[in-house]
Amino acid sequence: MQLLKEMINSYGEVCEGNVLKVGNFFNQQIDITLMSEMGKEFKKRFDNCGVTKVLTIEASGIAFACMTAQYFNVPMVFAKKSASLNSDDDAYTADITSFTRGRKYTITLPKAYLGPEDTVLIVDDFLATGSALFGLIDIVNASGAKIAGIGIGIEKAFQDGGKKVRAMGIRVESLAKIKSMTPGVGVEFCD
Ligand code: 5GP
């Protein structure tokens, strides 16, 4: 997706440790036009897949997950990374390791929000090692719902998450695929 690649080139910062900082349009300050275009693109790519819910994980995926859900006219649901006082005891859970924070989380989603009648489009901001996606896939499988596919904003194709998830037979669509990135130089896209 051209707009996303242009914004990565203009505002992204490649840091040590294979981390791309995109805080000023993607992760913290959010460019709503970009989010909307991403939602439109996912609607185009997964149209006619029978999507009934868009699922993501807090926090960075939520903005474009909302836009995507709006184009599909279905609810957006997100897994939480920590339990809170109003957490539902009757929840699906999965363990993930955060790539950027280097710590483990148990993610949760109330069982009431996903069931066998659903066909789910999973979306997330980044795909690196695939840990976040494996957690979300586990939750969908536990619910009995079907997976229509996975929509990713930025896939770091030099890490192995994409290969592993596609090897499970799940369709993964990434709007910007990074072949390599070098601090002080920038990013090179796959196509
Ligand atoms: P994975 O679970 O695939 O290893 O990593 C995906 C998650 O880690 C995403 O939800 C995202 O929040 C975070 N992440 C992974 N790589 C990057 C990166 O290079 N930059 C940023 N900003 N977040 C990343």
Side-chain angles (χ1 to χ4, degrees):
M1 184 189 188
Q2 199 49 36
L3 178 61
L4 179 55
K5 288 184 194 170
E6 281 169 15
M7 294 195 82
I8 293 169
N9 279 333
S10 301
Y11 306 113
E13 186 193 341
V14 182
C15 302
E16 296 296 339
N18 283 334
V19 172
L20 177 65
K21 274 197 190 169
V22 283
N24 78 347
F25 68 95
F26 202 58
N27 279 158
Q28 191 157 10
Q29 175 168 258
I30 310 275
D31 187 298
I32 299 302
T33 303
L34 174 66
M35 298 297 118
S36 180
E37 289 302 314
M38 290 174 67
K40 207 187 282 178
E41 186 63 30
F42 286 131
K43 168 76 167 114
K44 201 162 82 188
R45 295 190 190 198
F46 290 99
D47 214 6
N48 303 319
C49 293
V51 173
T52 64
K53 298 252 165 90
V54 175
L55 170 69
T56 191
I57 181 170
E58 68 176 349
S60 302
I62 291 176
F64 74 85
C66 285
M67 298 298 198
T68 306
Q70 186 178 28
Y71 282 105
F72 279 98
N73 196 23
V74 300
M76 186 283 289
V77 286
F78 65 93
K80 288 195 174 186
K81 282 182 183 157
S82 59
S84 60
L85 281 178
N86 60 1
S87 289
D88 199 321
D89 287 339
D90 201 13
Y92 304 113
T93 63
D95 292 328
I96 68 161
T97 302
S98 163
F99 177 75
T100 44
R101 292 173 206 264
R103 53 170 279 212
K104 289 192 176 179
Y105 296 91
T106 298
I107 59 170
T108 62
L109 181 77
K111 290 188 176 171
Y113 301 153
L114 214 54
E117 67 285 1
D118 284 312
T119 299
V120 180
L121 175 61
I122 298 173
V123 301
D124 202 8
D125 58 343
F126 274 89
L127 172 54
T129 66
S131 180
L133 286 185
F134 291 130
L136 292 173
I137 292 167
D138 282 350
I139 281 179
V140 178
N141 288 340
S143 77
K146 288 190 287 296
I147 298 177
I150 296 176
I152 296 293
I154 303 170
E155 176 175 348
K156 293 184 290 179
F158 55 88
Q159 296 183 274
D160 62 356
K163 207 180 287 176
K164 286 186 190 159
V165 178
R166 290 183 181 95
M168 297 169 81
I170 300 172
R171 178 177 166 202
V172 182
E173 294 279 339
S174 301
L175 302 185
K177 256 178 149 175
I178 295 177
K179 189 174 174 183
S180 65
M181 56 189 212
T182 314
V185 179
V187 308
E188 188 190 349
F189 294 104
C190 290
D191 42 44

